[in-house]
């Protein structure tokens, strides 16, 4: 936006020119109207403007003297001389004092607007180049070690004080468009810095050290533009030196992260030191892990979700960062992977739930929680249905292995891994399907095989039969056999021969 001041000793000319320019384009803003050059020089001490349209013949300080004085106090201001006099000497002096052009009264609108549009384009081009050069340095200050800032090239800020704002949105294109529109509003001075991270980073500048209300005005103004979906904005405190940019950037990112707790489409937070006090996620999960692990192990989905719900609620109350919430989600997934062998079989070594996507997308806390809980629940349900479908098959696989390897120790963990179940779940499933524990079933198979050997292999001695069926200790074999069959192995062998 081109900020324009008009200087003419005739009120009607000033007002008419101001109205005409104001109607032409919102790219032009009349920021002052003065009856002589001295009034503008007084205004110029504390105010900013880009272009001056001035008459030549005026009391106190005329147009030529005004242009000459402005060269020293506002060298960046561009000047347009207007006059009813056609004397070439006036034009020649005006051009010597760096006036942009010399316009005759009555003003030719096409010629005037041609000049103003060109000045606006020149300003935008100059600002773009200036910002590009400054942005490179800003990036170094934003992401560099504050202790090393004194080794960086000197960074001259447009105004003496600063703050940083970080913006994230579900429609980043709309958000970038809003920032471009906001740049045209003269009350805001800021640079956009590409930090290489998700979101938009703005470094805002102020004449005085800004308070929270001053800093929030930028976000409030952005909020007036249409933004489909969710927007999260966070701002730092105000600072007075470029070396504090790194701290300000950290604060803005931290505050932006807390925007996730807003229940509206637009969430804004200013930094608070309380945000640096993160809850102990590892400790919280450790206190609740056993409950979750037991629920997951037996696929008690409602109990598992209740455990997670309580932990996430505690993080919500503490307004934990997104990183802390995702850490809790990772702990839950790792626990499920440990307790459920099918987890790795179905999803491979990686995490089935897209936690990295959660960290990048602009989700509110409740959206993130609901999405995670839904996907976690669906995953458990998928495993539960798979188990129900293959429950009988799993028992048959174990029974077949025992029938073929009855002489070997039946390690429960090994058997469970064969059918991708937890040991405790396999034990319960096996007992439900057969009426026996795995240990009792193994004993039954071994004793049945021992009875067969005793009856059919007369050449085998009793201790050899015991070793053959997995009992190398003769005393233990004799004792167990008698308890199960009712007679000792020797007695069973005699009975078998006689019959």
């Amino acid at each position: 936006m081109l900020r324009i001041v008009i200087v003419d000793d005739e009120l009607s000319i000033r007002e008419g020119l101001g109205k005409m320019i104001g109607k032409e384009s919102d790219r032009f803003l009349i920021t002052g109207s003065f009856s002589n050059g001295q009034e503008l020089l007084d205004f110029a001490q504390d105010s900013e403007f880009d272009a001056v349209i001035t008459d030549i013949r005026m009391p106190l300080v005329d147009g030529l003297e005004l242009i000459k004085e402005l060269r020293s106090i506002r060298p960046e201001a561009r000047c347009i001389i207007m006059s009813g006099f056609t004397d070439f000497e006036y034009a020649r002096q005006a051009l010597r004092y760096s006036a942009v052009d010399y316009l005759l009264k009555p003003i030719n609108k096409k010629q005037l607007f041609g000049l103003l549009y060109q000045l606006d384009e020149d300003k935008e081009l100059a600002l773009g180049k200036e910002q590009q050069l400054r942005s490179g340095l800003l990036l170094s200050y934003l992401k560099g070690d504050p202790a090393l800032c004194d080794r960086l090239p000197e960074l001259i800020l447009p105004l003496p004080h600063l703050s940083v704002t970080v913006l994230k949105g579900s429609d980043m294109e709309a958000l970038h468009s809003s920032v471009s529109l906001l740049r045209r509003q003269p009350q805001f001075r800021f640079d956009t810095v590409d930090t290489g991270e998700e979101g938009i980073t703005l470094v805002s500048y102020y004449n005085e050290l800004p308070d929270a209300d001053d800093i929030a005005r930028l976000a409030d103004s952005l909020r007036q533009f249409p933004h489909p979906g969710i927007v999260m904005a966070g701002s730092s405190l105000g600072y007075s030196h470029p070396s504090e940019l790194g701290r300000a950037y950290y604060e803005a990112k931290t505050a932006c992260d807390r925007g996730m707790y807003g229940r509206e489409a637009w969430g804004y937070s200013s930094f608070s030191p309380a945000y640096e006090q993160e809850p102990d996620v590892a400790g919280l999960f450790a206190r609740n892990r056993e409950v979750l692990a037991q629920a997951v192990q037996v696929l008690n989905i409602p109990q598992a979700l209740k455990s997670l719900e309580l932990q996430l609620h505690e993080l919500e109350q503490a307004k934990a960062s997104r990183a802390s919430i995702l850490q809790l989600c990772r702990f839950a997934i790792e626990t499920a992977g440990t307790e459920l062998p099918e987890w790795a079989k179905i999803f491979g070594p990686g995490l089935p739930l897209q936690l990295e996507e959660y960290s990048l997308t602009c989700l509110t806390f409740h959206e993130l929680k609901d999405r995670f809980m839904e996907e976690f629940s669906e995953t458990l349900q998928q495993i539960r249905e798979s188990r129900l479908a293959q429950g009988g098959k799993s028992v048959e696989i174990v029974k077949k292995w025992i029938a073929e390897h009855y002489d070997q120790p039946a390690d429960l963990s090994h058997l469970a891994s064969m059918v991708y179940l937890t040991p405790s779940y396999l034990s319960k499933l096996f007992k439900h399907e057969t009426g026996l524990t795995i240990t009792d079933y193994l004993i039954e198979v071994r004793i049945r095989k021992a009875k067969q050997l005793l009856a059919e292999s007369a050449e085998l001695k009793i201790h050899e039969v015991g070793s053959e069926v997995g009992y190398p200790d003769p005393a233990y074999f004799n004792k167990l056999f008698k308890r199960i069959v009712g007679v000792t192995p020797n007695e069973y062998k005699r009975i078998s021969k006689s019959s």
Side-chain angles (χ1 to χ4, degrees), residues 18 32 91 103 108-109 129 144 149 175 187 200 202 215 234 281 294 327 344 378 389 406 418 484:
L103 300 177
N108 182 299
K109 290 173 59 176
K129 290 180 178 178
C149 285
L175 204 51
Q187 66 269 37
I200 302 172
L202 308 179
I215 295 169
V281 179
Q294 290 180 4
Q327 184 182 15
E378 288 177 352
Y406 58 83
M418 286 170 42
I484 300 297

Side-chain angles (χ1 to χ4, degrees), residues 148-168:
L148 302 178
C149 285
D150 57 348
R151 302 182 187 179
L152 294 172
E154 184 180 5
L155 175 60
I156 305 299
L157 302 179
L159 295 174
H161 307 281
L162 64 93
S163 71
V164 175
T165 299
V166 171
L167 307 162
K168 292 183 180 180

Side-chain angles (χ1 to χ4, degrees), residues 54-57 81-86 90 102-105 107:
T54 180
D55 191 15
I56 285 186
R57 297 280 187 174
I81 285 286
M82 59 179 182
S83 175
F85 299 92
T86 58
Y90 280 111
Y102 185 94
L103 300 177
L104 291 177
K105 296 180 179 178
I107 299 300

Side-chain angles (χ1 to χ4, degrees), residues 86-149:
T86 58
D87 190 328
F88 176 73
E89 183 58 26
Y90 280 111
R92 191 168 66 83
Q93 289 186 54
L95 292 174
R96 185 191 311 146
Y97 293 142
S98 301
V100 173
D101 212 332
Y102 185 94
L103 300 177
L104 291 177
K105 296 180 179 178
I107 299 300
N108 182 299
K109 290 173 59 176
K110 182 177 180 181
Q111 185 181 12
L112 172 64
F113 292 139
L115 282 172
L116 295 180
Y117 280 117
Q118 184 60 54
L119 288 181
D120 189 41
E121 291 175 9
D122 291 346
K123 176 190 172 184
E124 290 298 317
L125 183 62
L127 286 175
K129 290 180 178 178
E130 179 183 344
Q131 183 190 4
Q132 187 175 12
L133 291 172
R134 190 165 55 241
S135 291
L137 270 179
L138 283 170
L139 179 61
S140 299
Y141 277 82
L142 285 169
K143 304 193 76 172
D145 185 340
L148 302 178
C149 285

Side-chain angles (χ1 to χ4, degrees), residues 337-357:
T338 300
E339 301 298 332
L340 300 172
E342 301 100 320
W343 193 279
K345 180 187 176 185
I346 295 172
F347 300 107
L351 298 178
L353 307 180
Q354 303 301 313
L355 295 187
E356 293 306 318
E357 179 185 332

Side-chain angles (χ1 to χ4, degrees), residues 400-458:
K400 182 180 178 182
W401 185 91
I402 291 174
E404 295 173 352
H405 305 89
Y406 58 83
D407 59 328
Q408 300 176 20
D411 179 71
L412 182 58
S413 296
H414 172 68
L415 295 175
S417 67
M418 286 170 42
V419 290
Y420 302 102
L421 300 176
T422 61
S424 63
Y425 186 81
L426 175 60
S427 294
K428 294 175 183 177
L429 181 64
F430 195 92
K431 178 73 178 290
H432 176 77
E433 292 286 325
T434 66
L436 297 171
T437 66
I438 292 176
T439 300
D440 288 342
Y441 182 82
L442 176 62
I443 292 173
E444 185 179 88
V445 170
R446 286 175 169 179
I447 295 301
R448 188 186 310 124
K449 183 62 178 178
K451 289 165 68 176
Q452 179 186 350
L453 291 173
L454 289 169
E456 298 175 359
S457 303

